[in-house]
């Protein structure tokens, strides 16, 4: 399984970006995918998640500003980020997991893409 994240960059506060996570060796329509972020000196945190049914969940800090979606034909999950704030600055990672045994999962991470929001 390999995840390729892209789309980060430098944007002014209030701007928008769309991150992409392309998967190989995994079919995103049959599993869950999450977008995480890690700011300098902070723990990695989950910001958005989409399950195999297409149900989405968001951290309260991004609710209403970020939207996670999936294109099954391209096996790609997107994170649309609007109304960006300086506190959204972080390295963003996509993640999926594969069950090895019941209750035992193997995690896979993309390489991370840096989002910098200037004030």
């Amino acid at each position: 399984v390999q995840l390729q994240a892209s789309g980060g960059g430098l944007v002014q506060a209030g701007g928008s970006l769309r991150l992409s996570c392309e998967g190989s060796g995994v079919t995103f329509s049959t599993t869950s995918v999450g977008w995480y972020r890690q700011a300098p000196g902070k723990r990695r945190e989950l910001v958005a998640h989409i399950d195999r049914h297409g149900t989405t969940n968001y951290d309260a800090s991004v609710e209403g500003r970020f939207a996670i979606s999936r294109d099954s034909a391209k096996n790609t999950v997107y994170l649309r980020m609007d109304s960006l704030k300086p506190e959204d600055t972080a390295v963003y990672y996509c993640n999926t997991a594969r069950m090895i045994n019941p209750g035992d999962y193997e995690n896979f991470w993309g390489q991370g893409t840096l989002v910098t929001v200037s004030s």
Side-chain angles (χ1 to χ4, degrees):
V1 175
Q2 289 188 334
L3 306 181
Q4 182 70 35
S6 61
L10 173 63
V11 64
Q12 289 187 333
S16 299
L17 284 174
R18 189 181 76 162
L19 307 183
S20 300
C21 176
E22 183 175 1
S24 59
V26 59
T27 302
F28 281 161
S29 61
T30 67
T31 189
S32 297
V33 178
W35 278 102
Y36 290 73
R37 67 185 179 188
Q38 187 167 20
K42 295 188 177 181
R43 291 184 174 182
R44 192 171 297 187
E45 60 178 0
L46 177 65
V47 295
H49 177 267
I50 184 167
D51 71 11
R52 59 190 179 96
H53 302 293
T55 301
T56 59
N57 288 284
Y58 300 92
D59 183 79
S61 65
V62 306
E63 183 82 50
R65 301 188 296 120
F66 289 13
I68 188 170
S69 62
R70 181 177 63 216
D71 184 332
S72 297
K74 296 182 179 180
N75 206 38
T76 299
V77 170
Y78 301 98
L79 183 67
R80 172 72 182 188
M81 306 184 295
D82 295 321
S83 302
L84 282 161
K85 304 175 181 180
E87 52 263 42
D88 295 318
T89 295
V91 178
Y92 285 71
Y93 301 88
C94 56
N95 164 273
T96 192
R98 181 170 61 191
M99 188 175 73
I100 301 172
N101 293 300
D104 186 14
Y105 291 84
E106 181 179 12
N107 275 287
F108 300 94
W109 294 91
Q111 82 282 13
T113 185
L114 176 63
V115 172
T116 303
V117 184
S118 62
S119 57

